[in-house]
């Protein structure tokens, strides 16, 4: 059971480049989320999804797009990377059961130069 | 709006000493509360959670937490810390109506002295 898998683990981008961070889960969870983690700021929610075909914005959505075409996958797209998007990105999934906790991927460390 | 405050940015304890990490939350309904641990370069792992029932919950690695509604707190405790407990700890709040979105505190870094 792989849980939540994120790729790549590390990425360096130039300002203005675009890329997609991949996230896949094999637990048949309805809920999936993307967070970014910056020093001293905890985790901040970027986008989330409550099921295939349904997405919504979190706390810091600007500069990011998401889609959810299947239950398993929830990619995060950076349309035009900026240095302010240098961060560690975590994907998480959770079930819709009462009190269901989030399961996290290992993270993607992104540097924008 | 929901929020979480972890008042202590960094805590240092000696190995074998007891530990308490503080967490205060704000949530409009009955909260779901979580504690996660993050080792360097790793993702977050659930230590324990509360969503109903007994207000003292037991988790993995010998951790426990107590939900106190009157104080809006969910403090994490461990009676005897091991060197391997050194990590960053996050408290989070969520609820059944917010579709799995959790709000995280800024984290507390635990250093363990030999």
């Amino acid at each position: 059971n792989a849980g939540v898998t994120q790729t790549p683990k590390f990425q360096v981008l130039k300002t203005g480049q675009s890329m997609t961070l991949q996230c896949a889960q094999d637990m048949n969870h309805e809920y999936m989320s993307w967070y970014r983690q910056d020093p001293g700021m905890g985790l901040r929610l970027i986008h989330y999804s409550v099921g295939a075909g349904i997405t919504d914005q979190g706390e810091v959505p600007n500069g990011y797009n998401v889609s959810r075409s299947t239950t398993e996958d929830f990619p995060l797209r950076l349309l035009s990377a900026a240095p302010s998007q240098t961060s560690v990105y975590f994907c998480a999934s959770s079930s819709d059961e009462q009190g269901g906790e989030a399961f996290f991927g290992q993270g993607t460390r992104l540097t924008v130069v | 709006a929901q929020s979480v405050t972890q008042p202590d940015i960094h805590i240092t304890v000696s190995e074998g000493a007891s530990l308490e990490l503080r967490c205060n939350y704000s949530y409009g309904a009955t909260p779901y509360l979580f504690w996660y641990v993050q080792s360097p370069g790793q993702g977050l792992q659930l230590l324990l959670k509360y969503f109903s029932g007994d207000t003292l919950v037991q988790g993995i690695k010998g951790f426990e937490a107590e939900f106190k509604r009157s104080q809006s707190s969910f403090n994490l405790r461990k009676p005897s810390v091991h060197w391997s407990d050194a990590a960053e700890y996050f408290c989070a709040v969520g609820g059944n109506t917010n579709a799995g979105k959790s709000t995280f505190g800024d984290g507390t870094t635990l250093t363990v002295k030999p």
Side-chain angles (χ1 to χ4, degrees):
Chain A
N1 191 340
V4 179
T5 302
Q6 288 183 238
T7 56
K9 287 187 170 53
F10 301 93
Q11 183 70 50
V12 179
L13 288 178
K14 293 182 178 179
T15 298
Q17 285 185 317
S18 63
M19 80 159 295
T20 299
L21 307 185
Q22 301 291 343
C23 176
Q25 54 96 3
D26 62 1
M27 297 172 282
N28 202 33
H29 285 167
E30 289 299 314
Y31 303 152
M32 295 187 74
S33 307
W34 276 102
Y35 293 88
R36 61 177 287 173
Q37 184 179 30
D38 301 292
M41 301 185 74
L43 279 80
R44 292 182 292 169
L45 183 66
I46 304 171
H47 285 285
Y48 68 98
S49 169
V50 301
I54 306 170
T55 64
D56 206 346
Q57 297 181 350
E59 180 185 357
V60 288
N62 293 340
Y64 308 95
N65 277 355
V66 292
S67 60
R68 184 98 180 269
S69 57
T70 67
T71 299
E72 294 77 20
D73 300 298
F74 192 44
L76 177 73
R77 298 183 186 84
L78 283 71
L79 303 176
S80 179
S84 62
Q85 293 178 305
T86 294
S87 187
V88 181
Y89 292 85
F90 287 100
C91 178
S93 73
S94 58
S95 71
D96 58 356
E97 69 180 30
Q98 191 179 39
E101 73 270 22
F103 291 81
F104 285 84
Q106 293 295 296
T108 296
R109 184 173 294 275
L110 176 68
T111 302
V112 183
V113 298
Chain B
Q2 59 197 55
S3 66
V4 175
T5 302
Q6 293 181 245
D8 305 304
I9 297 173
H10 194 178
I11 284 184
T12 299
V13 300
S14 298
E15 190 168 17
S18 63
L19 171 69
E20 183 170 31
L21 302 182
R22 296 182 290 165
C23 172
N24 293 99
Y25 70 90
S26 173
Y27 192 76
T30 300
Y32 293 175
L33 294 159
F34 309 90
W35 275 101
Y36 293 87
V37 61
Q38 184 182 31
S39 298
Q42 300 296 313
L44 280 72
Q45 179 186 20
L46 181 74
L47 282 176
L48 48 78
K49 64 182 180 181
Y50 168 83
F51 64 94
S52 68
D54 193 346
T55 56
L56 182 64
V57 294
Q58 304 296 322
I60 62 171
K61 304 183 181 185
F63 286 92
E64 67 177 27
E66 186 170 12
F67 170 56
K68 293 185 177 180
R69 185 186 299 274
S70 62
Q71 299 177 18
S72 297
S73 69
F74 189 55
N75 294 348
L76 182 71
R77 301 192 293 251
K78 187 170 185 178
S80 178
V81 169
H82 188 262
W83 64 266
S84 60
D85 294 324
E88 190 160 20
Y89 292 79
F90 292 94
C91 181
V93 66
N96 201 34
T97 58
N98 72 352
K101 296 182 296 178
S102 291
T103 297
F104 286 79
D106 291 343
T108 298
T109 300
L110 174 65
T111 298
V112 181
K113 293 190 302 184

